[in-house]
Amino acid sequence: MAGRKRRKHRLLSETFKDDKRVSTKENDEQDHHESWSILPSELLELIISRLTLKDNIRTSSVCKKWLSVALSVRKVNKPPWLMYFPKLGHLFEFYDPSKRKTYSLELPQLHGCRICYNKDGWLLLYKPRTQRVLFFNPFTREMIKLPRFEMTYQIVAFSNSPKSQNCILFTVKHVSPTVVAISTCSPNATEWTTVNYHNRLPFVSSIWNKLVFCNGLFYCLSLTGWLGVYDPIEHTWSIRIVPPPRCPDNFFVKNWWKGKFMAENKGDIFVIYTCYSENPIIYKLDQENKEWVEMKTLEGVTLFASFLSSHARTDLLGMMRNCVYFSKVRFYGKRCISYSLDHKRYYPRKQCHDWGEQDPFESIWVDPPDDVSALES
């Protein structure tokens, strides 16, 4: 009898402990959920404000409080606008691909200027008659003059806004098959600096090359697909041992170099190859393995390609994500030609464009103004 009582007491004791452990676990889980639900709104705003658009939308489905906070801090990027250069006069047109709307703006300041590049809302201009180089913001009309410099058949780019202290202008010019002349300048400089560099690998520099600034370096894609890199801090120039992107033979048709574009996004470099009869091919530079990798998806990134400068955007709403937008508008200014990697087709349908037949200097993608109301009046 005594043994039975001891076993009974032991079983009751174990049952009580198990119930206590289960109750404690449930209480811990409840406390965990309550700890998140009672977060101060200021702290919740700080956390959610650092999320991407995709994660912000997911967060908003948790509860009403999180929905309210997520909407209050949700940031949606604006796509760039396509700026068209008039053949006569000073009336420039700007096309917004998200609203499919065109704005007009008189810019007499651009008379006699050649637009060379665009970044961070600033146009880089060149006046051939006076050899004047200058920055110009088309929406604020602010202008920054630079030292005079003769630009003939060469490409030019700059690192960031000319209002920044570390803004650098960069241009490369072909001297011989083994030599290039690199010129640099800054907004506060009194003259340009030019140095000749020798190429260890074949590198043909021409106006058809592409330039981007990425991770503190200028990357220059040559006509034949080789990649030159200039370090503005160390003042060094080298040709990366990265084989050119592999494209089908039918891509190399007449004027194929006009349909080649390059853009940078958060440390990644993308190259777009197009052909009139084929879908475009997009490559991303694998810095570690020193190769171009063909991309089947842009993982939400949107590329905006134009001859003078191309751009990338993330956190765009709607169907603009994972697409390439080209600098050509169809249907009387209502639809911009684009290619969707999700659907593997052009929009509008059958609107693949022959870039060999287009004037590459007729348009450029630019950052839109913060306030559009002045253009709508």
Side-chain angles (χ1 to χ4, degrees), residues 37-271:
S37 63
I38 63 175
L39 276 176
S41 297
E42 295 80 5
L43 181 58
L44 198 58
E45 287 180 4
L46 179 62
I47 296 173
I48 298 180
S49 65
R50 300 189 178 188
L51 299 179
T52 63
L53 176 63
K54 186 177 181 180
D55 291 334
N56 178 290
I57 294 173
R58 288 176 175 175
T59 302
S60 63
S61 63
V62 173
C63 62
K64 290 184 178 179
K65 180 180 179 181
W66 285 34
L67 170 62
S68 175
V69 173
L71 289 175
S72 68
V73 298
R74 181 172 295 173
K75 296 180 181 179
V76 180
N77 279 341
K78 296 179 181 179
W81 288 4
L82 188 60
M83 179 182 181
Y84 274 96
F85 314 146
K87 294 182 179 179
L88 295 173
H90 308 134
L91 187 64
F92 289 76
E93 291 186 336
F94 297 84
Y95 174 78
D96 180 355
S98 61
K99 296 181 179 180
R100 299 179 183 176
K101 187 175 181 179
T102 300
Y103 304 90
S104 298
L105 193 61
E106 286 278 354
L107 296 173
Q109 299 91 338
L110 301 187
H111 177 72
C113 292
R114 187 177 79 201
I115 298 179
C116 303
Y117 198 74
N118 170 76
K119 190 173 185 179
D120 295 343
W122 291 86
L123 297 172
L124 182 62
L125 308 176
Y126 176 64
K127 290 187 175 183
R129 289 186 178 180
T130 61
Q131 297 183 359
R132 170 65 70 184
V133 184
L134 50 93
F135 286 107
F136 180 71
N137 188 312
F139 301 112
T140 65
R141 312 297 177 96
E142 189 174 0
M143 184 178 292
I144 300 176
K145 293 184 178 181
L146 299 165
R148 299 178 190 274
F149 183 72
E150 183 181 2
M151 291 188 188
T152 51
Y153 298 101
Q154 60 206 89
I155 53 175
V156 60
F158 56 94
S159 58
N160 44 21
S161 168
K163 291 294 191 68
S164 172
Q165 294 182 352
N166 55 357
C167 175
I168 299 174
L169 288 86
F170 167 85
T171 180
V172 56
K173 180 181 179 181
H174 177 81
V175 177
S176 72
T178 58
V179 178
V180 294
I182 292 178
S183 301
T184 57
C185 188
S186 63
N188 298 324
T190 57
E191 62 181 3
W192 288 71
T193 301
T194 301
V195 179
N196 287 353
Y197 291 88
H198 289 269
N199 301 319
R200 294 183 178 181
L201 293 174
F203 185 89
V204 179
S205 179
S206 77
I207 198 168
W208 305 108
N209 292 359
K210 302 300 174 185
L211 271 177
V212 296
F213 183 76
C214 178
N215 295 327
L217 304 173
F218 285 98
Y219 288 81
C220 180
L221 188 69
S222 76
L223 192 67
T224 53
W226 289 96
L227 198 61
V229 181
Y230 178 74
D231 187 333
I233 303 299
E234 301 295 333
H235 306 289
T236 57
W237 166 262
S238 61
I239 309 301
R240 288 284 172 89
I241 307 177
V242 180
R246 297 179 180 178
C247 290
D249 292 337
N250 57 346
F251 268 61
F252 299 99
V253 295
K254 181 181 178 181
N255 295 332
W256 61 270
W257 51 83
K258 289 186 179 181
K260 183 177 66 175
F261 312 93
M262 186 164 68
E264 181 272 340
N265 179 62
K266 298 180 179 179
D268 290 325
I269 298 177
F270 297 91
V271 171

